Amino acid sequence: MEEMFHKKSEAVRRLVEAAEEAHLKHEFDADLQYEYFNAVLINERDKDGNFLELGKEFILAPNDHFNNLPVNISLSDVQVPTNMYNKDPAIVNGVYWSESLNKVFVDNFDRDPSLIWQYFGSAKGFFRQYPGIKWEPDENGVIAFDCRNRKWYIQAATSPKDVVILVDVSGSMKGLRLTIAKQTVSSILDTLGDDDFFNIIAYNEELHYVEPCLNGTLVQADRTNKEHFREHLDKLFAKGIGMLDIALNEAFNILSDFNHTGQGSICSQALMLITDGAVDTYDAIFAKHNWPDRKVRIFTYLIGREAAFADNLKWMACANKGFFTQISTLADVQENVMEYLHVLSRPKVIDQEHDVVWTEAYIDSTLPQAQKLADDQGLVLMTTVAMPVFSKQNETRSKGILLGVVGTDVPVKELLKTIPKYKLGIHGYAFAITNNGYILTHPELRPLYEEGKKRRKPNYSSVDLSEVEWEDRDDVLRNAMVNRKTGKFSMEVKKTVDKGKRVLVMTNDYYYTDIKGTPFSLGVALSRGHGKYFFRGNVTVEEGLHDLEHPDVSLADEWSYCNTDLHPEHRHLSQLEAIKLYLKGKEALLQCDKELIQEVLFDAVVSAPIEAYWTSLALNKSENSDKGVEVAFLGTRTGLSRINLFVGAEQLTNQDFLKAGDKENIFNADHFPLWYRRAAEQIPGSFVYSIPFSTGTVNKSNVVTASTSIQLLDERKSPVVAAVGIQMKLEFFQRKFWTASRQCASLDGKCSISCDDETVNCYLIDNNGFILVSEDYTQTGDFFGEVEGAVMNKLLTMGSFKRITLYDYQAMCRANKESSDGAHGLLDPYNAFLSAMKWIMTELVLFLVEFNLCSWWHSDMTAKAQKLKQTLEPCDTEYPAFVSERTIKETTGNIVCEDCSKSFVIQQIPSSNLFMVVVDSSCPCESMGPITMAPIEIRYNESLKCERLKAQKIRRRPESCHGFHPEENARECGGAPSLQAMRALLLSLLLILFSR
């Protein structure tokens, strides 16, 4: 595994060396004319059929290694954000010298064919991506992607930081200024990551903590906390007089006190000041708190067009190693906020420290077409390895010029491939976490939720290990892994299966260690009774190959029997095809797991006779005359499956069963099939029956699945080596049950009481309390407690069933929120401008610059129509699951109700997980309501919410810190944008927008 991570890091390192060498040889040419491949314009023609400028012919071909997207594996191309001029001299020069990366991109891919996207994100804003691909604008004709606000860029460019944001809310900030200020704060929050800490304070004549609970401290900048603060920003309003001296003193005290606690980043510190003016330079405050060391950098953002106070604000920034910018419109916010990152990167650049950074897991959404494929084909979690690129020109050394960041994406599934699933046992799994305790990969991580279409949960990338391994209340396992220790830990766990409806109670042994060269730690969970022993068999290659050739044999394609990623000619092979070629000696370059393949061959030979048995059943029409049994299947510990259809494929009731999309019921990278796992927890020789839960709103199914495990019953180890089962029509199964229920053991064959009697209700339920058979067909698949609440309550009281309380810390709950119809227009002034002012002629452009286009907007002109909107938001829930007590074979009970007495009998069906329940129907017992499995949201009062915000779990800081450097040249500390620059920006935007 460490070798895999090392290979990715070395690929990035080669890109860094090539980029820095190319830049060193390049001399900036303001008049450089260079036709590059613009990712948006490639292959585009004008009305005469000629290629557009920067849109030359660029050959694209679908490539299965890149999700069948059309790409060019010989060249990269360049994306430039919509709000930037793609022929700006700085961009053209950067694109020109970075062209030399093409050779390294291709060479990296040849060395390591498992690599996917490689790229260079420039500090100037352009993004060079390999392989080259065409970028498609969104429905508004815009590509908002800017590589500089991606986490991999920010993390590689800067060191961890503690930040206090001061927002002026005095009376002069009313209207558009306050709106711009809020957007500036929000953009700053976007640049903060999990290794950073922050707080936001609004000030006028008093201080107003945006979150009063966090008075005097900082909080980790994870997504949940940032969104919490964003919600509170909406509550700010402007009034009174701005007393900046009070706010500055408070900010310095917070940063100093928090630093002394040993929490936080213990690295860079910054104070962000967002205001429309400052009447003083407050040098006395800086002399008291920050000079001469200037450990806290000051970044000042002047809001509005007026420049009366610009000199004071610029002096503050320059005197404290910071940066000053002026923000006049909402469109200015993004570019101006990014400036502070380049200042913070200076010490790292001067140190020439190319720190390797790895991001947390995320779902890539850079390309709209890639996102659509992810929706269609399934989730792909990524991590990125990145390194900064520095200017090595001697004359710029003290300025610490960051050229950009290079990186490559690594699918998290690559990590899982290095851990043989077959050695982990039936319930075993591997998982990994970051230095902050967040999950990189874990089978219980659920990044998506479904409502019509799959959507990402807003906080999916910051799910803590303690939220999935929640039984570890003291965080023993989590903290040991965060601290990069190596060891073992054991605990009883409650693992949910079958869409969370069922629970398996078991004891897990956890083994954990750190992954060298990364901030990650790896854990492996082995369930007691599984995974400790592995049965070894031995057959000849000829025997095994013969039985592998059977058309009904398949292997787990997500398991790594052979590495098909190493060479392009092997990528199209399935794992079964690769094994056959390997065993026949036809592919010398294939690298395969010899031990696993030997066991696959053994399983193929040993399981082959079952095919003959299934064939005989199919030929014996009397056994299955009405085709009630549709499928028979077998799976072994090596991921080998055999499937036999007793009906035509088109006649199957459940068309999805055992197909690639039916993740729960096939071998995959995370787990064994559901029917295999459940059978393994039953008493050997007994069958597990269940009705599959559908994913739709109606929780019904027309089939019944039955499976049993196959164990080697030697006296010592008894490993489960396989599971076998069938799937049958529900109607067929129910008919068999009703027939059996009418057969009585009396001499005359008559029953004293029968399920046909109107005085009783008969049910067949499973060991989790779900109804398989009922006289009311619509109750099939329901939980028994919802139908017979009084009886279920009595069964719980008597100990026949037990309730197990479960928690879901990744749930989504419905919430009512206020929404505003006016918000979009305010935050997108250019679109609003176009829709209202299409008649404006080009000759008015200069007038608009002077007058300030955005000053036309005022809060009174964008009245917000408030209304309640129901949304789904992350929440914590508690819900029950139910499990039968195995030792109870038969139980009778009597329930005293208000006006009657209700009796019942429950009896276990031998060699199964089923129970027959006969209930007296003459007594409704309606006073006792139903028992449901519906989750209940855990609501936290304000005090508890505050404690949860303040509580900081143990985390491990990044080992590298570059906060300051004595040779840093801090004289370049910003200035107001020139009128000429503003004119050029507005003109380019108008040209883009009017061309729609």
Side-chain angles (χ1 to χ4, degrees), residues 66-364:
F66 296 92
N67 287 328
N68 281 317
L69 291 170
V71 296
N72 185 319
I73 60 172
S74 299
L75 294 170
S76 63
D77 59 4
V78 175
Q79 175 264 344
V80 180
T82 301
N83 66 335
M84 301 184 73
Y85 180 42
N86 57 29
K87 297 195 77 174
D88 181 281
I91 288 178
V92 173
N93 276 264
V95 170
Y96 178 78
W97 66 254
S98 66
E99 193 81 17
S100 62
L101 292 179
N102 276 325
K103 184 177 181 300
V104 188
F105 286 142
V106 174
D107 181 56
N108 278 343
F109 193 42
D110 288 340
R111 290 174 185 235
D112 181 6
S114 67
L115 282 174
I116 49 173
W117 305 108
Q118 303 174 66
Y119 38 81
F120 168 62
S122 168
K124 301 300 181 185
F126 72 83
F127 180 68
R128 180 177 289 281
Q129 182 178 27
Y130 172 87
I133 188 169
K134 184 168 179 59
W135 285 54
E136 303 290 348
D138 63 19
E139 62 273 13
N140 297 315
V142 173
I143 294 178
F145 176 83
D146 188 328
C147 61
R148 295 168 300 174
N149 62 21
R150 303 290 281 188
K151 279 194 174 182
W152 52 266
Y153 185 98
I154 296 167
Q155 201 172 324
T158 64
S159 293
K161 49 199 170 290
D162 296 338
V163 177
V164 173
I165 304 172
L166 298 179
V167 188
D168 184 353
V169 290
S170 62
S172 61
M173 289 287 289
K174 283 183 179 178
L176 181 62
R177 289 183 179 181
L178 186 58
T179 300
I180 294 174
K182 290 177 181 179
Q183 185 62 30
T184 302
V185 174
S186 185
S187 293
I188 292 172
L189 292 181
D190 285 337
T191 67
L192 303 180
D194 296 333
D195 293 323
D196 303 323
F197 290 78
F198 76 102
N199 204 336
I200 305 173
I201 305 172
Y203 71 92
N204 39 36
E205 57 266 38
E206 296 179 347
L207 297 178
H208 310 276
Y209 279 84
V210 170
E211 171 47 81
C213 162
L214 295 171
N215 188 319
T217 188
L218 301 183
V219 67
Q220 188 177 8
D222 61 32
R223 174 157 187 139
T224 301
N225 288 337
K226 289 190 292 185
E227 289 305 312
H228 179 81
F229 272 81
R230 279 195 177 97
E231 291 174 4
H232 281 62
L233 281 176
D234 291 337
K235 300 174 184 176
L236 295 181
F237 58 93
K239 69 172 185 177
I241 303 170
M243 304 293 287
L244 180 54
D245 54 337
I246 300 174
L248 287 172
N249 277 308
E250 180 76 0
F252 278 116
N253 287 331
I254 291 173
L255 289 169
S256 176
D257 294 345
F258 193 71
N259 190 57
H260 287 134
T261 66
Q263 298 177 315
S265 69
I266 315 296
C267 192
S268 299
Q269 291 190 313
L271 193 160
M272 312 292 200
L273 174 59
I274 302 167
T275 178
D276 64 347
V279 296
D280 192 5
T281 57
Y282 303 100
D283 49 329
I285 295 176
F286 298 130
K288 175 183 177 182
H289 293 286
N290 207 36
W291 295 344
D293 295 332
R294 295 188 289 177
K295 293 292 186 183
V296 179
R297 296 180 188 268
I298 309 296
F299 297 93
T300 54
Y301 301 89
L302 176 60
I303 305 299
R305 295 181 61 251
E306 289 78 6
F309 301 107
D311 289 343
N312 286 345
L313 289 172
K314 183 173 182 179
W315 184 92
M316 290 184 209
C318 295
N320 293 278
K321 289 191 173 182
F323 201 86
F324 162 78
T325 61
Q326 184 168 2
I327 303 177
S328 301
T329 70
L330 285 165
D332 298 338
V333 172
Q334 173 85 1
E335 196 68 23
N336 283 291
V337 165
M338 300 303 298
E339 292 290 350
Y340 96 88
L341 294 173
H342 300 138
V343 175
L344 291 183
S345 71
R346 286 175 188 164
K348 181 181 283 194
V349 179
I350 298 172
D351 280 335
Q352 295 289 298
E353 289 289 342
H354 295 90
D355 299 325
V356 180
V357 300
W358 291 82
T359 68
E360 79 278 14
Y362 65 93
I363 302 169
D364 187 29

Side-chain angles (χ1 to χ4, degrees), residues 648-905:
E650 70 285 352
Q651 296 177 290
L652 287 172
T653 305
N654 184 352
Q655 291 283 332
D656 297 329
F657 186 57
L658 302 177
K659 301 286 177 60
D662 186 16
K663 292 291 186 183
E664 279 276 270
N665 286 304
I666 61 173
F667 291 94
N668 60 46
D670 286 331
H671 52 67
F672 277 52
L674 175 62
W675 45 267
Y676 197 126
R677 285 178 286 161
R678 293 194 64 209
E681 293 307 303
Q682 285 293 115
I683 298 171
S686 64
F687 275 81
V688 176
Y689 295 84
S690 64
I691 293 181
F693 295 106
S694 61
T695 55
T697 54
V698 180
N699 195 17
K700 303 294 179 187
S701 179
N702 293 322
V703 294
V704 174
T705 303
S707 61
T708 187
S709 63
I710 300 172
Q711 260 181 307
L712 295 179
L713 296 176
D714 65 8
E715 295 179 354
R716 297 165 296 140
K717 301 164 187 176
S718 306
V720 174
V721 295
V724 64
I726 59 172
Q727 190 167 92
M728 64 194 101
K729 293 178 181 177
L730 176 61
E731 177 270 332
F732 168 81
F733 177 77
Q734 291 181 335
R735 191 170 69 250
K736 292 284 187 183
F737 170 76
W738 292 124
T739 300
S741 70
R742 296 185 180 97
Q743 297 174 357
C744 298
S746 59
L747 292 176
D748 58 3
K750 294 181 180 179
C751 304
S752 58
I753 188 170
S754 167
C755 289
D756 294 329
D757 295 347
E758 293 184 358
T759 57
V760 297
N761 289 329
C762 294
Y763 304 92
L764 188 66
I765 65 174
D766 66 20
N767 60 314
N768 298 117
F770 293 102
I771 299 172
L772 278 79
V773 181
S774 169
E775 294 165 74
D776 182 350
Y777 184 81
T778 62
Q779 294 172 348
T780 304
D782 289 347
F783 177 59
F784 182 66
E786 295 176 351
V787 177
E788 295 281 1
V791 177
M792 190 69 205
N793 186 64
K794 187 69 173 180
L795 290 173
L796 291 168
T797 304
M798 297 165 59
S800 298
F801 275 77
K802 61 180 178 181
R803 180 198 303 261
I804 297 174
T805 301
L806 302 170
Y807 299 92
D808 184 358
Y809 296 105
Q810 300 177 72
M812 299 291 287
C813 299
R814 296 194 177 277
N816 291 320
K817 291 193 110 179
E818 285 187 352
S819 65
S820 169
D821 290 338
H824 176 75
L826 185 62
L827 293 177
D828 196 357
Y830 292 109
N831 282 338
F833 173 75
L834 275 183
S835 62
M837 303 290 184
K838 273 286 187 181
W839 52 270
I840 292 179
M841 305 302 292
T842 305
E843 59 263 26
L844 293 178
V845 170
L846 293 181
F847 166 74
L848 288 174
V849 173
E850 299 288 351
F851 185 72
N852 188 358
L853 163 69
C854 285
S855 67
W856 291 2
W857 274 270
H858 189 273
S859 57
D860 294 337
M861 296 174 66
T862 54
K864 297 180 180 179
Q866 299 289 348
K867 60 182 179 181
L868 286 179
K869 179 182 179 182
Q870 195 171 75
T871 62
L872 284 173
E873 295 192 337
C875 63
D876 301 338
T877 60
E878 175 185 310
Y879 65 100
F882 300 87
V883 179
S884 65
E885 177 54 59
R886 284 183 175 178
T887 58
I888 297 176
K889 304 301 180 185
E890 182 175 341
T891 302
T892 60
N894 194 60
I895 306 164
V896 178
C897 305
E898 290 182 346
D899 302 319
C900 57
S901 180
K902 190 181 190 77
S903 59
F904 67 89
V905 177

Side-chain angles (χ1 to χ4, degrees), residues 925-991:
C925 211
E926 293 176 349
S927 60
M928 297 186 186
I931 296 176
T932 73
M933 297 180 66
I936 300 171
E937 182 179 357
I938 301 172
R939 297 189 177 274
Y940 303 101
N941 59 37
E942 290 304 315
S943 174
L944 196 51
K945 282 181 182 178
C946 182
E947 290 303 314
R948 285 166 61 84
L949 276 172
K950 287 182 176 179
Q952 293 189 14
K953 288 183 176 289
I954 289 177
R955 53 182 292 277
R956 187 178 180 88
R957 295 183 195 90
E959 295 177 359
S960 176
C961 170
H962 306 277
F964 287 88
H965 196 285
E967 297 178 20
E968 178 184 345
N969 178 358
R971 289 190 295 274
E972 292 191 9
C973 47
S978 68
L979 180 62
Q980 186 65 31
M982 291 176 64
R983 285 173 175 169
L985 175 63
L986 183 56
L987 182 58
S988 63
L989 283 166
L990 285 172
L991 289 174

Side-chain angles (χ1 to χ4, degrees), residues 364-395:
D364 187 29
S365 58
T366 302
L367 297 163
Q369 58 266 48
Q371 180 58 43
K372 183 179 185 304
L373 274 172
D375 292 339
D376 295 341
Q377 299 177 5
L379 170 71
V380 179
L381 277 173
M382 301 279 194
T383 178
T384 292
V385 54
M387 291 175 68
V389 180
F390 309 140
S391 170
K392 292 201 168 186
Q393 296 171 346
N394 289 331
E395 62 270 22

